Every structure is written in structure tokens, then in C-alpha cells.
Amino acid sequence: MKKHNYFILLFLFIISACAVKKAAEDKNQLNGTWELNYISGPRIAFEGLYPNQKPQLTFDVASNKLYGNTSCNSLSGALVITDNRIDFNTPMALTKRFCEGQGEQLFLESLKKSTRYSVNENTLTFLMDDIAIMRFIKKP
């Protein structure tokens, strides 16, 4: 009976170690710079929201930091990830340049609504529950 319990414990340990490794690998897929190419909600064309520059986010998973721009202002803050859940509701540093249009505000609001993420090859999708609200393409 004791032998049986040891095998069960060993099996559970191996399974949990594999799950931790998988979560770390998934998290590392975020590393690098991503450029926004879709945002849900607006009745304005994407190019009209971001006529000069598209928003970008750069993730540094090793230091749990993120950097980027809103298409107008620069931002930086802590990267808060657990499994495939992401939280942008922690305070971020944001420059205060005047920005025309609704693009920056929509981008920041959508970040705060994002609860999960998914990476599929070179596409990063932020989701609110199961609804895709933002999509990014990885920059070379």
C-alpha cells in the first residue's frame, strides 16, 4: 500500500512540474514588441483612430515589466500575469502629451478590460472573458 501511495505522489509531482513548465513557456511567448492591428468597439475605422502611429506594447517577462505607447503617449508598468490571465489595472506611468481623437482613450480602456490573453504564432489576442477585444502582431 505504501508503494502505491509513493507512486501516486510521484505521478502528481511530475504532472504539476509539467504544468508549471508549460505556464512558463506560454508566458515567455509574450516577450518582445507587439503592434496593435485590431480593436473592438469603435465606429471609426482603425486607420482613423491611429493615423500616425499604431499602439505598441513590449513585454519583458523576465523582469515582469511592460513598456509601450498608446499611439501618442509612452507608457510603462508592471506585468501582472498568472497562467493566461493578464491584469492591466495596476498603476502605469503615462506621459501627458495632448492626443487628438479617441484612439488613445479607447486603447487604455480596452487594456483595463482585458482579462486573458492568447498567443498563436505571431498574433497576440487580449480577451474580455471569451471575447477578443484587441489583437497585436509581433514586430521583428
Side-chain angles (χ1 to χ4, degrees):
M1 184 67 170
K2 285 184 181 181
K3 230 181 203 184
H4 183 69
N5 288 342
Y6 288 126
F7 285 120
I8 290 173
L9 287 174
L10 179 62
F11 178 74
L12 291 174
F13 177 75
I14 291 170
I15 295 294
S16 64
C18 290
V20 168
K21 184 177 181 196
K22 174 84 169 109
E25 289 171 359
D26 289 347
K27 188 176 174 180
N28 285 328
Q29 291 179 341
L30 282 175
N31 273 326
T33 301
W34 300 84
E35 183 176 78
L36 184 71
N37 74 342
Y38 166 81
I39 192 164
S40 69
R43 295 180 184 248
I44 300 169
F46 184 81
E47 290 76 22
L49 285 170
Y50 309 108
N52 301 319
Q53 180 182 13
K54 295 177 186 174
Q56 291 186 358
L57 292 175
T58 300
F59 296 96
D60 183 349
V61 173
S63 65
N64 290 317
K65 300 221 183 262
L66 72 97
Y67 312 91
N69 70 68
T70 64
S71 80
C72 178
N73 282 295
S74 297
L75 62 86
S76 64
L79 179 58
V80 181
I81 295 175
T82 306
D83 298 324
N84 72 334
R85 300 192 83 55
I86 194 160
D87 183 1
F88 291 105
N89 290 303
T90 58
M92 282 194 249
L94 186 67
T95 58
K96 300 283 187 181
R97 292 186 351 197
F98 172 75
C99 306
E100 290 187 28
Q102 302 169 349
E104 178 181 62
Q105 192 60 35
L106 179 63
F107 179 73
L108 292 171
E109 288 171 2
S110 296
L111 279 180
K112 289 184 182 282
K113 290 178 185 176
S114 300
T115 57
R116 295 185 315 114
Y117 73 93
S118 167
V119 178
N120 186 2
E121 295 183 16
N122 289 331
T123 303
L124 167 63
T125 305
F126 288 152
L127 303 115
M128 181 177 64
D129 300 318
D130 291 330
I131 301 167
I133 60 173
M134 302 172 85
R135 189 172 45 242
F136 296 77
I137 301 295
K138 187 144 193 182
K139 298 288 285 181

